[in-house]
Amino acid sequence: MKQLFLLLLFLSAQSCRDPFANARTTRIYSLNTNCLSKTAWTDLKRLHSTDSVKGDFVVMLKKFERMPFDNEVYYFKESPEELIAIRDNESIGYVYNPRIRNAILDGLSPSLPKKEKERIGNRIQSFLRKYQCKNEHNHRYGQEYDDD
């Protein structure tokens, strides 16, 4: 009995360590929001509001509401036309782009290659970069999550 207890204790302790943590995540891209102006998110919402969404994008917008994590959805009308959902103003959680696939995709979706994750992340990060302070320690812009 003592050996079983020790084994369970050992396994519990090991499961909390980084080498055993799952490096994969449903997030598509981690955003750098360091030193961000207070108007960044309101401007993003104003410029990329979902109010003008039409066609299949309306149907998909309703599906975003049923996703497991709370997100703020932004509509990019200019090519490539897509909906991008941001979680807690810190990471991109979901995307809908009919050129990639006619479904909402997350970071674990096999249909979403690393190149697309990076493009989507750069689309949001380049917008936010305009609202970041210009200090020398603010050089990390964001990071896509690995496909591994």
Side-chain angles (χ1 to χ4, degrees), residues 34-110:
N34 292 334
C35 195
L36 199 59
S37 161
K38 293 178 182 177
T39 62
W41 297 110
T42 54
D43 286 355
L44 183 63
K45 186 65 176 174
R46 181 177 49 82
L47 294 171
H48 297 284
S49 169
T50 57
D51 294 340
S52 63
V53 172
K54 294 180 180 160
D56 292 341
F57 283 83
V58 173
V59 173
M60 297 312 284
L61 188 58
K62 295 209 182 294
K63 289 184 179 184
F64 271 94
E65 294 173 6
R66 295 190 301 252
M67 298 309 286
F69 298 103
D70 289 336
N71 297 281
E72 186 69 38
V73 181
Y74 300 94
Y75 174 57
F76 289 83
K77 190 173 188 174
E78 57 282 347
S79 186
E81 185 179 16
E82 60 193 348
L83 294 169
I84 299 175
I86 298 177
R87 292 184 200 161
D88 302 321
N89 292 348
E90 63 183 42
S91 65
I92 297 173
Y94 304 106
V95 66
Y96 169 68
N97 181 328
R99 288 184 178 177
I100 300 171
R101 186 158 182 223
N102 196 20
I104 294 174
L105 304 174
D106 65 24
L108 296 177
S109 300

Side-chain angles (χ1 to χ4, degrees), residues 28 82 97 100 112-121:
I28 294 170
E82 60 193 348
N97 181 328
I100 300 171
L112 189 61
K114 187 173 184 173
K115 181 179 175 183
E116 283 297 314
K117 290 178 186 181
E118 190 172 303
R119 180 197 59 78
I120 293 162

Side-chain angles (χ1 to χ4, degrees), residues 2-21:
K2 183 178 178 182
Q3 290 174 341
L4 181 61
F5 175 74
L6 290 174
L7 178 63
L8 289 174
L9 183 63
F10 174 75
L11 291 175
S12 296
Q14 290 297 320
S15 67
C16 297
R17 295 178 59 193
D18 284 342
F20 295 97

Side-chain angles (χ1 to χ4, degrees), residues 19-30:
F20 295 97
N22 186 355
R24 297 192 60 182
T25 176
T26 60
R27 288 178 268 169
I28 294 170
Y29 194 92
S30 175

